[in-house]
Every structure is written in C-alpha cells, then in structure tokens.
Amino acid sequence: MTSPASEITAEAIRFIEGTTYADLSEEALAIGRRCMVDTVGLYLAGSREASVRILIEDALAQGGREDAPLPGNGAGKVPAPLAARVWGTAGHAHDWDDTQVSHDPAHVYGLLTHPSVPPLTAALVVASQKGGVSGRDLMLAFQLGFEVECKISEWMLPRHYRRGHHSSGTVGTFGATVAAAKLLGLSGDRLAHALGIAASLAAGIRVNFGTMTKPLHVGRACENGVTAALLAARGFEADPSALDGQWGFFAVMGEGFDGEKARQGFGKPLTIASPGVSIKPYPSGILTHQSMDAMLRLVTDHDLKAEEVEKISFFAGKNIIEPIRYPIARNHLQAKFSMPALLAMIVLCRRASHHEFEDAFVAGEAMQDLQARTEVINDPDIDARGYDKIRSRIEVTTKDGRKLVQWADERYRGGPSNPISDADLDGKFRMCAEGVLDGAPQHELLGLVRGIDRGADVGRLVALISGEATGRA
C-alpha cells in the first residue's frame, strides 16, 4: 500500500503542545494510574533479573552525571539515558507489561506495543534529573507519550511486524521521546527535531525474542527517547517531518500506514480509554494467555496431575505459532515464547508467575519431559476464522485413555472486556515487589503510585523504586 500524503508529524506536535492535564478524562486518568501501578511493580521484579544486573553494572562502570538512580540498586546515580536503558529493560524483563488493544480485525497482534514502559520510564528519569516535577505533570507526559506511541502502532501497516521489527522497541521510542520532551518543555522546531532524531534511533528485531536482548529493545527505546529529547533541547536538528514522506518512519519501517485510521487523529479518543489497554495476567507473550487460562481450566476442572498426562496437543493459527516459536524451552527466556513450556508449567504448578520462570525449573526433568510430550499443530480451520481473536484448542490424552478438550476463551483476561480487578492488580504488584521492597515501604510506594496525580511526591516515589529511600546498597 502506498502511503497517502500526510502531516502526521505536525499533527503529533500540535497534540503534544496543545493537550493539558485538564483535557484528560477521568477514565483515562484512572486507567493511567492502573498502568503505572502495574509498571512500577515490574521495575521492582525486573531489577533482580540477570540481564538487568548486567546493565546496572555497565551503567555504574560508565559513570558520568548523577542524574537518576537505578531500580532496586540504592543511592548510586548515572546519566539520564543510561538510567532509562536500565529502567526500561527492567520494566519489560519479564514480558509482563501491559499491551495496547486494537479492534481492527486486520491488525496483527504482534504489531501492538507494550505502551506504558517507554513513556513512564522517560518521565520518571527526566523528573529525577530535573527535580520538582509534579505528579500531574508526570501523568500528562505519560499520557501523551502513551497516546502517540499507540496511534503510530495502530496506524502502521502489518508489514512492519511481519518483516521482523519489534514494535515495542521501534514505536516505543516515540513514546519515550514524547514524555521526555514534554517534561523538558520542548515545543515547535525542537519538539519536531526530537521526533526526527527518534525516528532514526528506533530499532529492534524479532530474532532476539527469547533472549536477554528482547527486553533490551524496550530499554533502548527508553534510552533513545530520552537521548532524542535531550539532544533536541540542546539544539540538535533532524528532519521536522520524520514520520511522513517517502523516506519517513512509516514508509521505511512499514511500507506505509492506514490513511483512513490516521484521519482519526491523536487523542480522538485517547487510546488508553478506547479501545483500551490490557494488563497481563502472565509474564509471557500476550498471544499465549488465553491458551494458558484454558489449560488451567482443564487442569482444575479435571483435577489433572502431570503424571496422568500421556500427550498434549495444542491447536492454533499462525498468529500464535509463528511468534511463539520454541518447540522446547531450555531456559526461562525461551519459555516465554514456547507453548509446550507454558502449558507444561500450568500442568505442573497450576500457575505461572515470575517465580516459575527460573532457568533451573524450566531446564529441569519434569518440564523437559512434559514439553517433549507436547505437540504444536497449525490448524487451518482456526487460521480461516481470522486473527481478530486469539483462538486455540487444547487436547490432553491421559494414560488411562481419556481425551480432555478445552477451547480457549476468546475474551482476553486482563483486557477491557474482562479486566483484572484493582485487588488482583495490587496482588500482582506485591508479588513483583516481594523480596525487593517489602513491608511499610512497599505499602507506601503503592499508595504513591495510586495517587500519583493527587499530590504524590514524585521524588519520594523514585527513591522507593531505586531503594535509595530504604537504604539498600
């Protein structure tokens, strides 16, 4: 599809410059607070991942200006872009962060971004660098970055994802850039240049799914977004319409965009409110969750034990099978993109939290044996029904000859039509915080995030996430 003539960059600039906190609906604010609770918990859980510890060591070794602290690491501070790299990678380290929703039946699920980590990371890091940022200003910057990121992703053609780009790394760069630019007060040419710099820095390819580099895509999106805004603030220049034209972001990265969708414009309505955002129940690729819920239902309904299972047959379309690509996972990162591993985990543990995603467990005898007895089958009938829903079927053959069948519920648990309750969201936050921030500080942090735009102390919030406020080294 050839891109129609457009002025999307200019429209984005008008939206960023002209939108105020008062323009945000109460629905958008309420959902934004939920997304922040979810993301802050993930910073804490991610801070203990091996990949993030390597990035922390690297950032501290590089040194430099003491702009911002690092999650779960105490008082040490590093330059803002390095801090953003670490925070962003921590937020995506478990692949448990939220996902934008689309109602377009032709849209490819993988083209949707994980929208909260880039703008929230950039906003928190720049707020730490600047000091004196209010919770309302932070919320506005977050919402603007979230919206621009999601609309770019929604308007992109599926070719972007199908050719191997990772949208959360590419499009996420714009979410981080917008949030950082808003808090830095960029407007006009400097805001346009920030978006132009971001367009050239955006990167991330799907070959690295199932490795440490997959969450680094989001970390780099955050780092690059902060870098783009800081450079533009100093007068660094780029093409002022980098989303548009023959060599613009849409054309080069996705061979165009959907002109009819783009005519809707930014903020009409805000994506965070409609069609909404999904908060993940499991720390794995979003395409896996309905199937995991189906297996959990099958296991509990039949009180199925692992030792009773002869074989598991998983039937799905290409929209699941192609990206969820590991036939047998050897470590916890591969397990996030392996249906045999995820189904085996549910059978063995009857849950799948970040506590189950450990290398020793995934590589253990029980998981390896059950994965080897699980076959993944591309079902042409499921493909023929289209990709507007994530459809799959599980058939378990037991050693005593029974065949147990369970279709996945097409309503996504965690999505707008079947949302996670506030109580369950708080439970996820506490599970993520466990062992990193406990007791009174954990309770205080949750309260600060839930009231972020109602007078919360942003500096205190950052200090609690980093561990500076609790004296952790």
Side-chain angles (χ1 to χ4, degrees):
M1 173 180 178
T2 302
S3 299
S6 66
E7 294 185 353
I8 292 177
T9 314
E11 292 168 7
I13 290 167
R14 286 192 290 271
F15 169 72
I16 297 162
E17 290 178 340
T19 306
T20 68
Y21 177 86
D23 296 321
L24 303 174
S25 68
E26 183 51 47
E27 181 183 16
L29 292 171
I31 297 171
R33 295 179 201 115
R34 281 169 55 87
C35 291
M36 289 186 180
V37 167
D38 190 50
T39 306
V40 168
L42 294 171
Y43 290 140
L44 296 173
S47 72
R48 290 297 177 260
E49 275 290 287
S51 58
V52 177
R53 300 312 302 175
I54 292 171
L55 293 180
I56 288 173
E57 291 173 7
D58 178 66
L60 293 172
Q62 290 191 51
R65 289 191 321 269
E66 295 186 347
D67 292 335
L70 302 171
N73 197 64
K77 295 183 178 182
V78 300
L82 280 178
R85 180 199 298 176
V86 176
W87 283 71
T89 304
H92 192 56
H94 288 291
D95 214 317
W96 213 353
D97 42 328
D98 57 23
T99 307
Q100 75 177 103
V101 172
S102 173
H103 291 328
D104 180 357
H107 212 64
V108 177
Y109 272 86
L111 188 56
L112 304 177
T113 69
H114 295 273
S116 286
V117 171
L120 184 58
T121 297
L124 288 171
V125 167
V126 171
S128 180
Q129 180 186 28
K130 284 187 62 177
V133 171
S134 72
R136 285 193 169 200
D137 288 343
L138 188 91
M139 174 64 82
L140 176 60
F142 167 75
Q143 292 269 354
L144 295 179
F146 190 110
E147 171 67 4
V148 171
E149 177 183 346
C150 285
K151 284 297 195 292
I152 292 173
S153 179
E154 176 67 27
W155 299 342
M156 291 280 287
L157 297 182
R159 180 66 176 157
H160 180 71
Y161 181 75
R162 291 195 184 282
R163 76 198 314 183
H165 294 293
H166 178 202
S167 306
S168 296
T170 56
V171 182
T173 305
F174 293 100
T177 301
V178 170
K182 188 66 176 180
L183 289 183
L184 291 170
L186 302 190
S187 62
D189 288 345
R190 293 202 171 187
L191 178 53
H193 294 321
L195 294 174
I197 298 166
S200 276
L201 297 180
I205 55 176
R206 288 166 55 197
V207 70
N208 276 310
F209 281 20
T211 74
M212 287 183 177
T213 299
K214 200 261 190 180
L216 179 61
H217 293 169
V218 178
R220 285 288 285 175
C222 299
E223 177 184 6
N224 290 337
V226 170
T227 297
L230 290 174
L231 288 175
R234 290 182 178 273
F236 204 93
E237 297 180 352
D239 190 289
S241 56
L243 290 169
D244 307 287
Q246 179 183 0
W247 297 313
F249 181 82
F250 280 112
V252 173
M253 299 292 273
E255 299 180 8
F257 63 92
D258 188 314
E260 184 176 348
K261 284 184 183 179
R263 280 190 285 275
Q264 174 189 14
F266 295 97
K268 301 173 184 178
L270 291 171
T271 299
I272 200 169
S274 179
V277 61
S278 297
I279 292 178
K280 282 186 165 188
Y282 298 114
S284 58
I286 190 172
L287 297 165
T288 68
H289 294 180
Q290 287 90 334
S291 306
M292 294 168 74
D293 274 349
M295 178 58 92
L296 182 61
R297 192 157 56 249
L298 186 150
V299 166
T300 53
D301 285 353
H302 297 278
D303 193 23
L304 183 68
K305 307 293 193 301
E307 57 269 22
E308 297 175 313
V309 175
E310 178 68 31
K311 182 178 72 171
I312 299 171
S313 299
F314 175 74
F315 298 84
K318 291 184 177 68
N319 61 331
I320 297 178
I321 291 173
E322 288 182 357
I324 311 302
R325 62 193 180 94
Y326 289 95
I328 293 184
R330 305 298 181 186
N331 59 51
H332 80 284
L333 292 171
Q334 292 179 359
K336 295 175 183 297
F337 298 91
S338 168
M339 283 312 312
L342 297 168
L343 298 179
M345 190 177 291
I346 294 292
V347 173
L348 289 164
C349 304
R350 301 195 176 195
R351 73 172 201 171
S353 76
H354 65 303
H355 296 297
E356 281 69 54
F357 284 87
E358 296 287 345
D359 285 349
F361 175 66
V362 173
E365 182 179 350
M367 277 285 287
Q368 292 296 303
D369 174 63
L370 199 49
Q371 287 186 74
R373 288 186 280 120
T374 301
E375 60 178 344
V376 175
I377 302 164
N378 184 199
D379 188 327
D381 291 336
I382 292 178
D383 272 326
R385 294 174 65 182
Y387 302 140
D388 56 320
K389 303 288 185 182
I390 303 174
R391 300 179 174 93
S392 66
R393 181 177 79 257
I394 299 167
E395 295 183 1
V396 175
T397 303
T398 64
K399 291 180 179 177
D400 61 5
R402 291 174 294 157
K403 178 174 282 188
L404 311 176
V405 179
Q406 182 68 57
W407 277 88
D409 187 340
E410 294 177 3
R411 289 191 318 149
Y412 171 59
R413 184 165 66 93
S417 65
N418 189 16
I420 291 174
S421 69
D422 282 348
D424 285 345
L425 178 58
D426 288 355
K428 178 181 174 181
F429 173 88
R430 293 189 180 95
M431 182 187 296
C432 288
E434 183 181 348
V436 182
L437 192 70
D438 295 303
Q442 182 190 111
H443 181 76
E444 180 187 1
L445 177 58
L446 180 56
L448 284 170
V449 184
R450 282 232 172 259
I452 185 66
D453 54 329
R454 299 166 177 163
D457 183 337
V458 174
R460 176 68 178 172
L461 185 151
V462 172
L464 283 166
I465 299 171
S466 69
E468 181 182 3
T470 58
R472 288 199 309 273

